[in-house]
Each structure stands twice: as structure tokens, then as C-alpha cells.
Amino acid sequence: MDVARSEVAPKSRGGAARFGLMALPAVFFAVFFAYPVAAIVTRGLRVDGVWRLGRLTEVLAQPDIRHVLWFTTWQALASTALTLLVAMPGAYVFARLDFPGKQVLRAVVTVPFVLPTVVVGTAFLALVGRGGLLDDLWGVRLDTTVWAILLAHVFFNYAVVVRTVGGLWAQLDPRQEEAARVLGASRVTAWRKVTLPALGPAVAAAALMVFLFTFTSFGVVQILGGPTFSTLEVEIYRQTSEIFDLSTAAVLTIVQFLAVGAILVLHAWTVRRRESALRLVDASRTARRPRGAGQWALLCSVLATVAVLLVLPLAVLVARSLDAPGFAYYEALTHADGGTFLVAPVHAIGNSLAYAVAATLIAVLIGSLAAAAVARRDAGRLVRGFDALLMLPLGVSAVTVGFGFLISLDRPPLDLRGSWILVPLAQALVGAPFVVRTMLPVLRAVDERLREAAAVLGASPWRVWREVDLPIVRRALLIAAGFAFAVSLGEFGATVFIARSDNPTLPVAVARLLGRPGDLNYGQAMALSTILMVVCAVALLVLERLRTDRTGEF
């Protein structure tokens, strides 16, 4: 009887501890995500206490809105297909070939993924826009065409395919394909019949992630699309901030939420298939030196692609920031012009770093508690549902969240409109899901018997976490903090609404400078983008030093 009681007590304490861990994240997401989004949707679809549900069909019947929906879907599909086409050779090279500088090249390939979308848009504007490299050399401009958007999306998502597909490809036993070759199959047939089916779940997962990122694209399309091209996210911003049509913005928010929700469900199903496949493959290292003219040619082509598609736009961005004699554009950042900002643009650097640090602390606290609650193997449906809810901020328009902050957090006891904490709170909403996804696999790998033994010996839940979990997940916690910092530093969709003119962030400052005519404003935008790029690259290099091979894949 005593033994039975000793077994039941830890389990009961464990259940209570789990719900205790979920309490703070649940309150955080309810107050700073569900409430603002519900507020803006309610204000848009409810007039004088009456719900205008017919507004849904009215908005979707408008030709210009249907065009936005069509273009959002079309460009996402085209961007996904083009990214897979360009990045699959890179996935093979990183998975199967071993060559000098491979780790450095891996970091270079990953840099674009952690860059803010505003920097990506600015880099391609410097390459293909007015006065860009192509314009100077051949008089060619692509900033008024859809190709600029598609290429920028490939630039941004190249690493998703390389790391996701390449990570699985490196674990496939090459002897399976070699056996097919021995039986008479050609190299192409062996790859199509043996390797491609095994890679299918990883390719599908990468494609869904790329589609999700491009379907909700904002900063890239806002800068490169101009008045011609508009995605759902950009149209929500335009309806909210320029036309002030909240009902249309609310309808588009609902449409985007439903579409992204379906994508996330499909992605979760695909990831589960990928995980079951990984248990069947050989995880030994398979990379070897290139052999034969074909592999050397493939390696050279991938290096050329990385140089032209990934490195060149960033190099042009840096070059454009140095176009003026000396460091004139950088020096101009230290002066307030009285128009764009109330303070000198250089203050945006300190603001962004301070906001990102605060957002990282919040995201790590909320994400760590949530991951610890979800990671237990005996989690029920409620906890698994909570895990799915944690991903919702990635599926709702950041523009909606930002504007929702303004109209919902404007009265006591949550009157935060004049508070500096509003920006970090919005940034933490985006960073927390990355913390959860980074820490969850490591927490699930902790032997549950260690926790149970500590609980039986009388350790409190806090002490169990400190003595058992923390030493094991410390490295993952640092990696999660790095991701949250990089994501917070580059957040733009929500911050553009709530960052005050006397405390702008770097992405907001870049966008405002690009929105004003004049070479000086353009040069300052390039200089600020370069600074933001360097800060993000440094954060990535720190992550690369911290992460292990096992935690190195998305």
C-alpha cells in the first residue's frame, strides 16, 4: 500500500505541476494574442452591436480582393517550386559530399533565413531596383516584376530546403541506391525509385514550410511589390493603416488564419511521417570527397548558386551603403532630420537591441514553461491541443496582432499604448514558438525515470527542473534564446504599428527611409540594413558554435 501511494503521489504532483507550468503561457497567449486578434475581428465584423457576417461574402466577391487571394496563392506556389528546384542540388552536396570550408558554407547558407524580411527586400532592391547593380550594368530593372519577389523568396528559404532535406538525406544508407545500380538500374532510375521515396516526407515538410513563409510574406512584398503586387498580409496592412477599413481587414484576417491553419495541420501530419521514416534509416555519416567530373561539376554549380543568389545581394547591399564618399550614409544616421524620425536613425540600433533582449527573456520564459509542460510523455489531449495553440501566432497576420494591440490594450488595467514593453511583447509572441520547437525534442529525450526518482525522493517540481532537466537542456536553451533574439530583432509586421517615432526599431527605420524619396534616405536605409544584417549574422555564428550536429537541423 505504501508503495502504491508513493507511485500515485508523484503522478498526481506531476499532473498538477504540468498545469502549473501551462498557466503562465496560457495567460500570456490569451491576453496578448487571442484578446487583441479577437478585438480587431470583432470591431471589423460587428457594428452597433450587430454582427455583419454578410461582410464575409461581400469582401470575397470584390474583384481586387479575389486578385489578392489569387496572387498570394500563386506566388507562394511558384516560390515553393522554384526554391525546391534551386535548393535540392545544395541539399545533396551538403548531405553526401565532404569538402574544405563546408561548415563555413553551411553558416553562409543559413544567414539569409535569420535575416529580417526588410533586409532581404532592401538587398534585392539594391540588386534589381532603380540604381541597382543590374540597372547600372545593363539597364535592367526587376523591382516592378514578380521575378524580384520570387528570387527574394528563394534567397530567404534556400536554407529551409538544404537543412530539412539534407538532414534526412545524410542519414539514408547509400548502399540501398548502390544495390539498385548493381541490379541494372541507371543512376536516375535508382534515385527516382529508391532515394526519392525515402526523401518524400522531408521534401514535403520543406515545401510546406516554404509555402507557409511565402504565403504570409509581408516585408519582401511590401518593398519589392510596390503598388502592383499585394499579398494577403500586405493587403491587411493597407486596409488597416491606409484605408482604415477594419471590416475588410477582419475578413482577410479570418481567411488567412483558416488557410494557414490548414497548412499547419498538413505540416504536422507530414512531420509525423518524417519522424517515423527517420527511425528506419542508418544515421551513420555518409559524406565523402567528390569523385568524378559529375560530382565536382555539381559542387561547383552549387557554389556558384550560393555566390550569385545568396552572397551577391548582401554584397551589393553593403556596397550601396558605401556609395557616398567616405562613410557619409553611416554618418548621416547620427543626425535627426526632423521628418522621418524625431531622433537620429542611429538610435534605432540601441532600441532594437534593447527590445530584442527584453523579448528574448519573455519568449524564453514563456516558451520554456510551455515546452516543459508539453514534453511529458503522458500528456493528454488537452496538453497536445495546447501545443498546437502555441503555434497560432505564426499563422495569424502579424499586422493584425500589432493593430490589435493598439485597439485592445488601451484602457486600464492594460493601458500599454505609451509603454515601451508593448514592442517586446509583440516580438515575444513570434519568438516563443521557436523556443518551444527548439527545446521540445531535447526535453522529450530526458529519461522520465530521472524525474520520477527525484519526485519520489521529495524534490519539488522546481528542483526537479533545476537538478534534472536544466543540465541536459542548457545548450538547447541557449540556442532557443539565440533564435528568439534573431526573430525579435527582425520582427516588422506588428512592430510597424506600435513602435513610436521617437523609439523606432531597425526594420521600421529601414522601411520608413525607403518610403521617402532622395538618395540620402536610400543610402541610410542601405546602411541601417547592413548594420542589421551584421548583427543577425553574428547571432547566427554564435548559434552555430553552440549547436550540436543533432540540433543543427530545423
Side-chain angles (χ1 to χ4, degrees), residues 26 32 94 111 134 137 142 226 246 253 267 294-295 307-308 352 364 367 371 394 406 438 451 459 492 498 531:
F32 298 112
F94 279 101
V111 164
L134 296 185
L137 294 179
L142 298 177
L246 289 185
T253 296
H267 177 254
Q295 288 190 346
V308 173
S352 286
V364 167
L394 300 181
L406 289 183
T438 302
R451 298 189 181 108
F492 176 61
I498 55 182
I531 293 171

Side-chain angles (χ1 to χ4, degrees), residues 266-287:
L266 185 59
H267 177 254
W269 175 76
T270 305
V271 167
R272 284 197 297 270
R273 287 189 59 196
R274 176 189 174 192
E275 290 174 344
S276 63
L278 283 175
R279 289 193 291 267
L280 303 176
V281 300
D282 183 4
S284 61
R285 296 183 182 276
T286 56

